Amino acid sequence: MLVLSPPRHGGDLLRAMADYGGERADWLDCSSGIAPEPYPLPPVPASIWQRLPEQDAALLAAARDYYGCDTLLAVPGSQAAIALLPQLRAPCRVGVLSPSYAEHAWQWQQHGHPLRTLAAEQIDAALPELDVLVVVNPNNPTGALIDTARLRDWHGQLATRGGWLVVDEAFADAAPADSLLAARLPEGLIVLRSLGKFFGLAGVRLGFVAAAPALLDALALRLGPWSVSAPAQWAGEMALRDRAWQTAQRYRLAQASQKLSSLLNEVGLVVAGQQALLHWCPHPQAALWHAALAQQRLWCRYFAAPAGLRFGLPQPEQFDLFAARLKAAAHTLNKDAR
């Protein structure tokens, strides 16, 4: 597979406005998987802004407690690790789950690695011919989940020949029991986590890499000093330690997810896969649906292959407006079909 241009991402309202008009305030943006209710951060103390941001021991302690893992590196968003990991290996045979978060395939390809995109059911047969396998779990955009026993088996096969299994768990916080994280990760297993999705803090740019210490040292060397800002470390420690908020957030997301699925199913956008923050609706007329929804100033993610739409959650106070615009788009499509 050859990826010819950088991937597009959700949250790109400037493109929506350029193509369909309107101002930012006119749009309902359900194109990303970011929680609509973020962790409620207080104002950042002035002293935090002035601090040269060494890796904060308090942040790492909070992260180790939250993730149940002792071998962690804080990074400026998991995207930074996605970009750097391909630089730590000489060109090798890489398989990437597809469809999935497109930055993985793009970054490995940009650094000269021969690339195969694989459906989940193709991985077992392809694994003997791979040096690195990259999966997103739960998957983005489909919401599909690969069980941990299967992942550990894949890692075991790769590790025997010095290979890697890279597991992007950006959406795992809503159901942490499905995580591969453990107190210490073995050689060749790399897990990525993010505060952007479940905690709703995408703008903070904070994530973590869990791996064997030697790989974390190599990543830290590539990142250089002061890569994670002091405000990000301050915010991350607070959010990771607040267990009461995390429990409440999981309940809120589950309720909102169920509500969104019902609305989508009602108009014929059948939710075939979902996690709390992702709702995947494969549809042969996904392009027409995407355009009709955009005409109603409702923005979601369109995927051409396989054809489908991915919806994130609207703000709690926007559900009635979301439902009205969804039904208006459905009415337009039904009228045109007649």
Side-chain angles (χ1 to χ4, degrees):
M1 172 188 170
L2 182 63
V3 184
L4 297 177
S5 59
R8 286 181 168 179
H9 300 292
D12 54 346
L13 271 182
L14 291 177
R15 182 165 68 88
M17 290 184 285
D19 291 346
Y20 295 96
E23 302 296 326
R24 185 177 291 271
D26 300 329
W27 285 83
L28 294 184
D29 184 7
C30 296
S31 66
S32 75
I34 298 167
E37 296 181 83
Y39 183 77
L41 292 169
V44 181
S47 60
I48 299 294
W49 290 110
Q50 295 178 301
R51 181 188 304 167
L52 197 62
E54 302 288 354
Q55 287 262 330
D56 191 334
L59 170 67
L60 288 175
R64 287 166 181 155
D65 185 48
Y66 176 78
Y67 294 119
C69 180
D70 296 331
T71 53
L72 293 168
L73 176 70
V75 293
S78 55
Q79 178 62 40
I82 291 169
L84 286 174
L85 283 171
Q87 301 177 38
L88 300 183
R89 292 188 70 107
C92 64
R93 304 164 299 174
V94 178
V96 179
L97 178 67
S98 180
S100 194
Y101 181 55
E103 283 286 341
H104 288 287
W106 170 255
Q107 294 293 342
W108 283 95
Q109 182 179 279
Q110 295 315 293
H111 292 90
H113 298 273
L115 184 73
R116 294 180 64 181
T117 55
L118 301 163
E121 59 270 19
Q122 296 174 315
I123 291 175
D124 285 305
L127 204 64
E129 300 174 3
L130 300 178
D131 301 299
V132 174
L133 174 65
V134 182
V135 300
V136 180
N137 200 52
N139 192 28
N140 169 23
T142 66
L145 189 68
I146 300 171
D147 68 72
T148 55
R150 192 177 184 195
L151 290 169
R152 290 191 182 97
D153 177 63
W154 290 345
H155 165 254
Q157 294 182 56
L158 289 161
T160 59
R161 53 183 182 273
W164 290 355
L165 173 64
V166 181
V167 184
D168 183 343
E169 293 187 347
F171 290 93
D173 297 81
D178 296 313
S179 173
L180 270 185
L181 288 176
R184 293 185 69 83
L185 295 194
E187 296 285 345
L189 178 58
I190 303 162
V191 178
L192 309 181
R193 297 295 290 257
S194 170
L195 261 73
K197 306 299 191 282
F198 173 80
F199 290 94
L201 297 175
V204 166
R205 307 312 304 144
L206 177 63
F208 293 89
V209 181
L215 187 136
L216 297 183
D217 290 343
L219 270 178
L221 190 63
R222 291 272 183 171
L223 284 167
W226 316 305
S227 61
V228 181
S229 73
Q233 297 190 55
W234 169 84
E237 182 195 354
M238 195 177 308
L240 290 169
R241 289 208 181 278
D242 196 337
R243 296 304 178 89
W245 182 89
Q246 294 157 18
T247 299
Q249 179 78 330
R250 290 188 182 100
Y251 177 80
R252 283 190 296 267
L253 293 178
Q255 296 297 108
S257 176
Q258 188 174 47
K259 187 173 182 179
L260 178 58
S261 291
S262 296
L263 291 173
L264 292 168
N265 288 330
E266 281 176 18
V267 299
L269 289 173
V270 178
V271 179
Q274 73 179 79
Q275 294 295 325
L277 294 164
L278 298 174
H279 299 74
W280 171 244
C281 303
H283 199 288
Q285 295 182 310
L288 292 177
W289 266 102
H290 186 256
L293 290 165
Q295 293 289 351
Q296 297 295 327
R297 305 288 192 265
L298 200 168
W299 195 234
C300 62
R301 277 296 308 279
Y302 165 67
F303 292 82
L309 301 175
R310 189 199 71 190
F311 291 84
L313 296 171
Q315 296 288 334
E317 68 276 9
Q318 293 178 334
F319 261 101
D320 288 344
L321 186 57
F322 177 94
R325 294 185 181 185
L326 185 66
K327 290 173 183 175
H331 177 75
T332 298
L333 288 172
N334 290 335
K335 183 176 65 175
D336 291 346
R338 292 195 294 269

